[in-house]
Amino acid sequence: MTDFKRRIAIGLILLLYCFVLYLAFDFAFTALTMGDPRRYRVFDYRYHHSLIANFDGYDYWGNNRYRLFTNSLGFKDAAVREIAKVSPNRRILLIGDSFTEGIGLPFEQTFAGKLYSAGQNRKEKIEFLNAGVASYSPSIYYKKIQALLSDGFHFDEVVVFSDLSDVTDEASSYFCIDDDAKYRAFCDPTDAKPPASKKSFVSSHLKVTDAIGDWIEKKVDPPKPPFPLDPFRTEWLYPNPSVARYQPLGVEGGVARSVQNMAALAELLKQKKIPLTIVVYPWPAQLARDDRDNRQIQIWSKFCQDHCKEFANLFPIFFAERDKAPNWYDRLFVPGDFHYSETGNEIIFRAMQDRLLRNAKTN
């Protein structure tokens, strides 16, 4: 081997060595600074999935790392704490999907956390409990509340934050926990686990490499306007939705199953003399499309005429915020995402504060 070739070979070996060291550093750095969702998102045979109880650690959403506490029921909370079956104070249960869980934000920045803090600061305290978890839908709302009541937990009111993605989930998922045999017939035993992470190995384990890749991608292919974000979960609202994404039940089957499971929940709560409130709210795509009245609003408004204490439509509130300034997306939502920022959560808190705190004595 000539001296030149030897130098090339040594250079390549050193380059490979440095690259391996870099990957090892990136892997270790990511492990230390980002949470592992497998640690705190767990399967539950009664209502499919939940957060693990009494967790004190960190969660992450994208590149955002934040402190996560859960209480003895596996609810996102202000701290690890024991939840008594019966409270000496008024107790309101909140439930929904990732919007209600407050994914991407610490508890105190979410609307559930803000309600909890406001309730604790009253002379006559109100305890807000947040049973929401990412990817929940009516099948799980019903089964989880049924399990809590069967375990002896008492609530004075239940507030369901019905998400636009619920129909998609009801059309395609959670058949193994459904009481109705026609839906349980679609049960796939391999579904007995929390929803799989959509992150790639690189984004999950190599944070620095992923950030470099994002930077290069933005330089090569500048970011597109952020609308619509994740459109397939909300396309059931509009004509000609993708058939494949709503299998096996289809859009109308997903709507029917949503209503059926919410009716079962309403009947259960009626038997326990617990009032039900349903809340609906927009994603950025609906604000961008000026979609002020859609099937989501119509379905649950009609449903609540017979089943609810109150129906809360937050679309007008968010449209008022949208109309204030052209940078509404940057203010109301997490950048590049469809979940609400702390500002968006503050708006929900203020809207629900009027209903759940100021009018508490009349409930």
Side-chain angles (χ1 to χ4, degrees):
M1 181 181 292
T2 66
D3 188 56
F4 175 75
K5 290 182 178 180
R6 185 179 297 108
R7 289 180 181 180
I8 292 294
I10 293 173
L12 290 174
I13 291 171
L14 287 174
L15 185 64
L16 178 61
Y17 176 72
C18 291
F19 182 66
V20 171
L21 282 180
Y22 159 77
L23 290 179
F25 164 78
D26 194 1
F27 188 87
F29 174 74
T30 303
L32 288 171
T33 60
M34 299 185 73
D36 180 359
R38 292 171 297 182
R39 292 180 57 201
Y40 46 83
R41 298 189 185 274
V42 294
F43 170 70
D44 189 291
Y45 73 93
R46 296 176 297 177
Y47 43 84
H48 193 271
H49 67 280
S50 182
L51 301 179
I52 197 169
N54 300 317
F55 180 82
D56 177 355
Y58 290 88
D59 192 4
Y60 66 89
W61 184 249
N63 290 321
N64 185 22
R65 180 175 183 258
Y66 57 97
R67 192 69 176 269
L68 173 67
F69 298 103
T70 65
N71 58 39
S72 60
L73 292 177
F75 297 175
K76 188 171 178 175
D77 209 329
V80 173
R81 64 189 180 102
E82 187 71 24
I83 304 299
K85 290 187 175 181
V86 179
S87 173
N89 305 309
R90 179 173 176 79
R91 176 183 280 175
I92 299 176
L93 182 73
L94 313 176
I95 196 166
D97 69 352
S98 54
F99 283 82
T100 304
E101 177 189 323
I103 201 163
L105 297 173
F107 184 70
E108 63 271 14
Q109 294 180 13
T110 68
F111 70 80
K114 293 171 186 289
L115 285 169
Y116 172 80
S117 179
Q120 292 301 297
N121 289 331
R122 287 169 50 98
K123 182 179 179 181
E124 297 178 358
K125 294 184 184 298
I126 300 177
E127 182 182 30
F128 287 89
L129 293 176
N130 182 12
V133 177
S135 297
Y136 273 15
S137 64
S139 295
I140 301 180
Y141 305 155
Y142 168 51
K143 297 299 288 186
K144 186 166 189 173
I145 292 173
Q146 181 187 58
L148 290 166
L149 293 173
S150 296
D151 289 344
F153 287 92
H154 173 78
F155 310 104
D156 296 289
E157 184 170 355
V158 168
V159 183
V160 175
F161 289 82
S162 177
D163 191 67
L164 290 166
S165 65
D166 285 357
V167 166
T168 309
D169 290 333
E170 290 294 290
S172 61
S173 307
Y174 312 136
F175 299 113
C176 298
I177 64 168
D178 205 295
D179 286 342
D180 192 323
K182 72 174 177 287
Y183 297 130
R184 207 163 53 249
F186 294 104
C187 173
D188 180 355
T190 62
D191 186 45
K193 58 185 177 182
S197 172
K198 296 180 180 179
K199 288 177 171 290
S200 66
F201 179 86
V202 172
S203 61
S204 297
H205 300 284
L206 299 171
K207 183 178 180 179
V208 177
T209 303
D210 187 51
I212 293 172
D214 285 344
W215 181 82
I216 293 173
E217 183 179 0
K218 288 176 183 178
K219 291 295 183 181
V220 174
D221 185 16
K224 299 177 178 61
F227 313 112
L229 288 169
D230 200 352
F232 88 86
R233 288 184 171 270
T234 65
E235 68 177 351
W236 67 273
L237 296 171
Y238 309 112
N240 305 314
S242 171
V243 174
R245 288 170 173 159
Y246 293 86
Q247 293 302 312
L249 300 184
V251 170
E252 296 310 316
V255 171
R257 187 173 174 228
S258 294
V259 172
Q260 180 173 312
N261 277 297
M262 289 289 273
L265 172 60
E267 180 59 29
L268 172 66
L269 295 177
K270 181 180 178 181
Q271 293 172 7
K272 301 288 185 179
K273 295 182 170 51
I274 301 173
L276 170 65
T277 291
I278 294 180
V279 185
V280 297
Y281 49 86
W283 285 26
Q286 282 61 59
L287 295 174
R289 296 178 65 145
D290 204 39
D291 184 8
R292 298 171 185 264
D293 186 29
N294 53 52
R295 290 192 73 186
Q296 171 79 343
I297 299 169
Q298 295 158 11
I299 288 167
W300 300 118
S301 175
K302 180 179 179 181
F303 178 90
C304 277
Q305 292 174 9
D306 298 319
H307 298 290
C308 306
K309 182 192 85 171
E310 186 176 2
F311 171 69
N313 176 12
L314 304 189
F315 276 70
I317 294 171
F318 278 100
F319 272 105
E321 290 292 329
R322 187 207 69 170
D323 295 340
K324 284 182 180 179
N327 69 333
W328 59 268
Y329 172 78
D330 297 325
R331 289 188 301 109
L332 302 178
F333 296 91
V334 174
D337 196 9
F338 49 83
H339 291 93
Y340 290 117
S341 64
E342 183 179 6
T343 300
N345 274 271
E346 175 70 19
I347 291 166
I348 297 177
F349 160 67
R350 292 202 304 265
M352 299 312 300
Q353 178 181 231
D354 291 336
R355 294 170 167 86
L356 300 176
L357 289 167
R358 294 175 185 170
N359 299 326
K361 291 184 178 180
T362 64
N363 289 339

Short mmCIF file of all heavy atoms in Angstrom, two decimals, residues 1-14:
data_model
loop_
_atom_site.label_atom_id
_atom_site.label_comp_id
_atom_site.label_asym_id
_atom_site.label_seq_id
_atom_site.Cartn_x
_atom_site.Cartn_y
_atom_site.Cartn_z
N MET A 1 0.85 -1.20 0.00
CA MET A 1 0.00 0.00 0.00
C MET A 1 0.89 1.25 0.00
O MET A 1 1.82 1.37 0.80
CB MET A 1 -0.91 0.00 1.23
CG MET A 1 -1.84 1.21 1.30
SD MET A 1 -2.88 1.21 2.79
CE MET A 1 -3.93 -0.20 2.46
N THR A 2 0.62 2.18 -0.90
CA THR A 2 1.39 3.41 -0.95
C THR A 2 1.08 4.29 0.25
O THR A 2 0.08 4.10 0.94
CB THR A 2 1.06 4.17 -2.24
OG1 THR A 2 -0.29 4.60 -2.19
CG2 THR A 2 1.30 3.31 -3.47
N ASP A 3 1.96 5.26 0.50
CA ASP A 3 1.77 6.17 1.62
C ASP A 3 0.46 6.95 1.48
O ASP A 3 -0.26 7.18 2.46
CB ASP A 3 2.95 7.13 1.70
CG ASP A 3 2.90 7.98 2.96
OD1 ASP A 3 2.85 7.39 4.06
OD2 ASP A 3 2.90 9.21 2.84
N PHE A 4 0.11 7.32 0.24
CA PHE A 4 -1.12 8.08 0.00
C PHE A 4 -2.35 7.25 0.35
O PHE A 4 -3.28 7.71 1.03
CB PHE A 4 -1.17 8.53 -1.47
CG PHE A 4 -2.46 9.22 -1.83
CD1 PHE A 4 -2.71 10.52 -1.42
CD2 PHE A 4 -3.43 8.53 -2.57
CE1 PHE A 4 -3.91 11.14 -1.76
CE2 PHE A 4 -4.61 9.16 -2.90
CZ PHE A 4 -4.85 10.46 -2.50
N LYS A 5 -2.34 5.98 -0.13
CA LYS A 5 -3.48 5.10 0.16
C LYS A 5 -3.60 4.82 1.65
O LYS A 5 -4.71 4.71 2.20
CB LYS A 5 -3.35 3.80 -0.61
CG LYS A 5 -3.55 3.95 -2.11
CD LYS A 5 -3.46 2.62 -2.82
CE LYS A 5 -3.72 2.75 -4.31
NZ LYS A 5 -3.62 1.44 -5.01
N ARG A 6 -2.43 4.70 2.31
CA ARG A 6 -2.44 4.46 3.76
C ARG A 6 -3.09 5.64 4.49
O ARG A 6 -3.88 5.46 5.41
CB ARG A 6 -1.03 4.22 4.26
CG ARG A 6 -0.98 3.82 5.74
CD ARG A 6 0.43 3.58 6.22
NE ARG A 6 1.03 2.44 5.52
CZ ARG A 6 1.99 2.54 4.61
NH1 ARG A 6 2.45 3.76 4.28
NH2 ARG A 6 2.49 1.47 4.03
N ARG A 7 -2.76 6.84 4.07
CA ARG A 7 -3.34 8.03 4.69
C ARG A 7 -4.85 8.10 4.47
O ARG A 7 -5.61 8.48 5.36
CB ARG A 7 -2.67 9.29 4.13
CG ARG A 7 -1.24 9.48 4.59
CD ARG A 7 -0.65 10.74 3.99
NE ARG A 7 0.73 10.94 4.41
CZ ARG A 7 1.49 11.96 4.04
NH1 ARG A 7 0.99 12.88 3.19
NH2 ARG A 7 2.73 12.07 4.47
N ILE A 8 -5.26 7.74 3.27
CA ILE A 8 -6.70 7.72 2.97
C ILE A 8 -7.41 6.70 3.87
O ILE A 8 -8.47 6.98 4.45
CB ILE A 8 -6.96 7.38 1.49
CG1 ILE A 8 -6.48 8.50 0.59
CG2 ILE A 8 -8.44 7.11 1.26
CD1 ILE A 8 -7.25 9.79 0.73
N ALA A 9 -6.82 5.51 4.00
CA ALA A 9 -7.42 4.46 4.83
C ALA A 9 -7.51 4.89 6.29
O ALA A 9 -8.54 4.71 6.95
CB ALA A 9 -6.62 3.17 4.70
N ILE A 10 -6.43 5.48 6.80
CA ILE A 10 -6.43 5.95 8.19
C ILE A 10 -7.46 7.05 8.38
O ILE A 10 -8.19 7.09 9.38
CB ILE A 10 -5.02 6.45 8.59
CG1 ILE A 10 -4.03 5.27 8.63
CG2 ILE A 10 -5.05 7.15 9.94
CD1 ILE A 10 -2.59 5.69 8.84
N GLY A 11 -7.56 7.96 7.39
CA GLY A 11 -8.54 9.04 7.47
C GLY A 11 -9.97 8.51 7.51
O GLY A 11 -10.80 8.99 8.28
N LEU A 12 -10.24 7.50 6.67
CA LEU A 12 -11.58 6.91 6.66
C LEU A 12 -11.89 6.21 7.97
O LEU A 12 -13.02 6.29 8.48
CB LEU A 12 -11.71 5.94 5.48
CG LEU A 12 -11.73 6.57 4.09
CD1 LEU A 12 -11.71 5.49 3.01
CD2 LEU A 12 -12.97 7.46 3.93
N ILE A 13 -10.91 5.52 8.53
CA ILE A 13 -11.10 4.83 9.81
C ILE A 13 -11.38 5.85 10.92
O ILE A 13 -12.28 5.68 11.74
CB ILE A 13 -9.88 3.97 10.15
CG1 ILE A 13 -9.78 2.79 9.18
CG2 ILE A 13 -9.96 3.46 11.59
CD1 ILE A 13 -8.49 1.99 9.30
N LEU A 14 -10.61 6.95 10.92
CA LEU A 14 -10.83 8.00 11.93
C LEU A 14 -12.19 8.66 11.76
O LEU A 14 -12.88 8.96 12.74
CB LEU A 14 -9.72 9.06 11.83
CG LEU A 14 -8.34 8.65 12.33
CD1 LEU A 14 -7.32 9.74 12.03
CD2 LEU A 14 -8.39 8.37 13.84
#
